[in-house]
Structures are given as C-alpha cells and as structure tokens.
Amino acid sequence: MAAQGCLPTTFAVWPQHPLYRSLAPWRAAAQFADWPRQAEYDALLAQARASGQPLPPALRFACDLEPTQYYEMHIGSSGEIPTRTQNWHDWFGALAWLSWPQSKLALNARHVRAIERGEVGRGPFRDAATLLDECGVIVPVCDDALANALQEMDWQALFVQHAAAWGTRIDSHVLGHALFEQGLAMHIGWCGKALLLPVAADFFALDYWQRQQALDARLAALLADDDWLQRPRELLPLPLLGIPGWWQPQDAAFYANTAYFRPTRRANSATLN
C-alpha cells in the first residue's frame, strides 16, 4: 500500500498497490531514475504503439507546451497533449492515455463536440466527462445483487459479505488519473466515482489486461453517444479503501466507520485537479 502523508517531491519507484493495476503494462518501461522528459515520453508512446494499443498517429505528449486554444480543443485539432514535466498529475494522465487510449480519445472528442456547440463553460454534461476522466473507476459486474449493493451504497454487502466476489463477479479498473496521483498519499475518506458496466459471467475468465482492453473499447463506444452520461450524479460514490485488499486493516471497526462508509450520496468525491 502507498505510504500515508504528503506526495513525494521527486520521482519515485512505481507504487505497489492494486490501484495501479490498469497501468501495469508500462511498469517495466517506466522505471526511470528521475522525472521523465520528452525522450522518455516519446519512448513510452512508441512502446505502447508497438504493443498494439490503438493510439492515433498524431498523438504525442508535448512536454511543457502552452496551448493557445482550449486544452481539449488543442488535443482534438493537433493530437498534442500538453504535459507538464515534474508533475504527478500529468505523468499519470499520460499513463492513462496509454492504458485507456480509446476512452481517453472519446472523452476528448466529447468535450470538443460540446465546445463546438457552444458549451465553453462547464455544465453538467462536461462536468460528468471531467469527473469520469479524473476520478473514474470502471466497475464491471455480472451479478445484479452486487450492482444493487453499489447503487444502494450497501457497503457491508459489497465489501464484507461478498468480499470473495471481487475479481470473479465484480472488479475495479481505474481510469481517473487524479486517483493515481492521490494514491501516493491514501487516506481514510478517499473516494472515487464508479461507473457500473454489466458484463457476462465469462468476462471474468479473461485476464485483467484483456478485460481492460474490452472495457476501453466499450466505454469509448458509449461516450460517442451524447445522450449517455449527461450528469455527474450518474456516477456512483465509491469508498476506494473499502475494496478488499486495498487497505489494512479491513476489520469490522474499519467498515463500521460511517463517516467514511456513508449510507447516502453525501460521500466525498476525490478532489479534481
């Protein structure tokens, strides 16, 4: 588990925690001694393309670029992703692009469409896309009882009574790059925003990365429909440290903390950056 406290001030070894499973393919290639710069970002992108990730040909992490357009419009028109060096948020944002290329592209296209029709300021539609991008956890589930437990915020059923179901009937695939950054300083009270995606039972016979690639393609297709996910409240609060294996100790006293495991939609979301 990540150490509690402040974020590291210098580049550190890859965190060893289930939060980062969705970034696992880039672990070996990203063991840098210091903060990555343009050459390292270019090399990571080349490796992702060589592995078959469907990244657009023009896409590039442009270090310390100051775009003259809106951020989303610049990415949409040029393929360049402005990326601050020595910045945890943008580092994990780049890794999220490598791991969720279709979804990240679809999220950007969603913002571009909204801006082009006049939604320059943030409203519910763009807020929902931003919340998914920053704090989203994709939750595939093949069991209606587990889906209902998450929707009804029945944390005892979801995390305690059905703890063994995680990885076999329900699971977590983190998309939000703000969560990866915040995972360097985990704390009680930390929550993400869950997007439930029903799947067939045989989905869980696939390995984790195969499942993620399938989720990436499916999420991108859903995001192409602007009638889908129109409000932030369509995403569900998820107390991340309640997921089995994500925190120690996960005993009865831990799950009895109703200030964290709240029974209503008042649960705190992760902070947007």
Side-chain angles (χ1 to χ4, degrees):
M1 134 188 350
Q4 299 178 57
C6 297
L7 293 180
T9 57
T10 58
F11 200 77
V13 295
W14 195 286
Q16 302 288 328
H17 188 277
L19 171 74
Y20 299 96
R21 283 186 301 170
S22 61
L23 307 180
W26 325 117
R27 183 186 300 270
Q31 297 291 337
F32 305 126
D34 202 351
W35 287 98
R37 296 191 178 275
Q38 191 65 63
E40 286 79 19
Y41 277 108
D42 290 346
L44 273 173
L45 193 57
Q47 177 169 320
R49 287 196 172 101
S51 74
Q53 285 294 81
L55 290 149
L59 189 138
R60 185 172 189 249
F61 304 115
C63 288
D64 297 319
L65 174 69
E66 294 289 344
T68 57
Q69 298 173 283
Y70 289 114
Y71 175 84
E72 295 89 353
M73 297 300 288
H74 182 86
I75 296 172
S77 63
S78 70
E80 293 180 327
I81 302 169
T83 303
R84 294 165 293 184
T85 53
Q86 300 190 32
N87 183 282
W88 286 110
H89 192 77
D90 286 10
W91 164 243
F92 286 122
L95 292 177
W97 269 98
L98 301 185
S99 294
W100 298 89
Q102 297 178 81
S103 297
K104 292 287 285 186
L105 192 64
L107 280 163
N108 180 253
R110 176 170 273 230
H111 281 292
V112 168
R113 291 193 302 273
I115 292 170
E116 287 178 339
R117 62 177 176 251
E119 297 177 34
V120 177
R122 291 284 173 82
F125 179 80
R126 291 190 63 205
D127 280 349
T130 299
L131 198 59
L132 179 62
D133 192 21
E134 297 272 359
C135 305
V137 182
I138 312 307
V139 179
V141 60
C142 68
D143 186 319
D144 289 344
L146 293 170
N148 290 337
L150 177 53
Q151 290 169 325
E152 298 299 323
M153 301 177 69
D154 185 347
W155 309 123
Q156 285 291 319
L158 186 66
F159 295 140
V160 180
Q161 297 168 21
H162 296 290
W166 286 84
T168 59
R169 288 182 287 154
I170 189 171
D171 212 345
S172 59
H173 290 251
V174 178
L175 164 66
H177 54 286
L179 295 183
F180 295 129
E181 178 187 16
Q182 293 160 3
L184 300 174
M186 296 178 182
H187 60 279
I188 303 298
W190 182 46
C191 289
K193 289 296 184 178
L195 176 66
L196 272 173
L197 286 183
V199 296
D202 60 2
F203 176 83
F204 291 99
L206 302 172
D207 68 33
Y208 188 87
W209 184 243
Q210 290 173 320
R211 283 187 265 151
Q212 177 153 324
Q213 289 178 307
L215 292 172
D216 185 33
R218 182 171 169 191
L219 179 57
L222 290 168
L223 287 165
D225 178 3
D226 286 350
D227 290 331
W228 182 80
L229 191 61
Q230 294 191 323
R231 300 181 304 153
R233 284 185 62 84
E234 294 176 47
L235 299 170
L236 305 169
L238 179 64
L240 295 166
L241 300 182
I243 299 173
W246 279 45
W247 188 254
Q248 294 297 330
Q250 289 181 324
D251 54 16
F254 172 71
Y255 286 112
N257 180 359
T258 55
Y260 184 31
F261 298 103
R262 298 179 180 182
T264 73
R265 289 294 298 259
R266 293 182 297 116
N268 295 329
S269 65
T271 302
L272 293 181
N273 291 290

